[in-house]
Amino acid sequence: MTHDNRAKDLIVVSAVCVYDGAGRLLTVRKRGTDKFMHPGGKPEPGETAAEAASRELAEEVGIDVGPADLEPLGTWLAAAANEAATDIEATVFTAPGTWEAQPCAEIAEIRWLDLTAELPDDLAPLLTDHVLPLLGKR
């Protein structure tokens, strides 16, 4: 069996759906990138998906939700927003309640997304291809 060097790299991440009082979905843009996505990131060694999601949420936007309080939404394979020839395997959670967020760490900008309005064209594929269609059905 030959190794195909064109195979896509795979990054495992956790992501969180966070809502404000108006029902808008929180999206973040990391410094040096142009796509908006869920807050979240890669698990550290030994972390569960929920632990990674909880830690990243606190680090990136200052929202403190314990891993046990996050509600699993699903796991998807999607094209990475900011890395060429890379897929992400994203485990997505929902943070219960409503929140305010502040950009911290590597987050350059946050934007609350009105799910009833026309969507901007700078969203990550995980959002546009998987999560938003599901949320629209809920």
Side-chain angles (χ1 to χ4, degrees):
M1 190 169 153
T2 59
H3 181 70
D4 182 0
N5 290 326
R6 293 166 307 170
K8 287 192 172 187
D9 292 326
L10 183 68
I11 302 172
V12 175
V13 299
S14 292
V16 189
C17 294
V18 175
Y19 298 94
D20 69 1
R24 296 176 304 171
L25 179 69
L26 176 64
T27 61
V28 300
R29 185 178 59 77
K30 297 187 169 154
R31 268 200 296 279
T33 68
D34 58 2
K35 295 286 189 199
F36 282 82
M37 58 190 60
H38 297 93
K42 304 176 189 81
E44 291 179 352
E47 267 187 334
T48 65
E51 287 166 348
S54 172
R55 176 182 51 76
E56 290 279 353
L57 204 53
E59 288 176 4
E60 292 187 350
V61 292
I63 292 174
D64 194 13
V65 180
D69 295 322
L70 292 169
E71 300 159 2
L73 187 65
T75 301
W76 290 275
L77 198 61
N82 297 309
E83 283 132 87
T86 302
D87 281 336
I88 58 168
E89 180 184 299
T91 301
V92 182
F93 299 89
T94 300
T98 58
W99 302 90
E100 293 178 9
Q102 303 297 326
C104 311
E106 72 269 30
I107 302 305
E109 188 181 353
I110 65 172
R111 185 173 69 195
W112 294 95
L113 195 60
D114 180 349
L115 299 178
T116 63
E118 189 172 331
L119 296 174
D121 59 8
D122 57 0
L123 298 176
L126 173 68
L127 267 168
T128 56
D129 298 352
H130 302 286
V131 177
L132 292 177
L134 178 72
L135 295 177
K137 294 185 179 90
R138 295 185 91 193

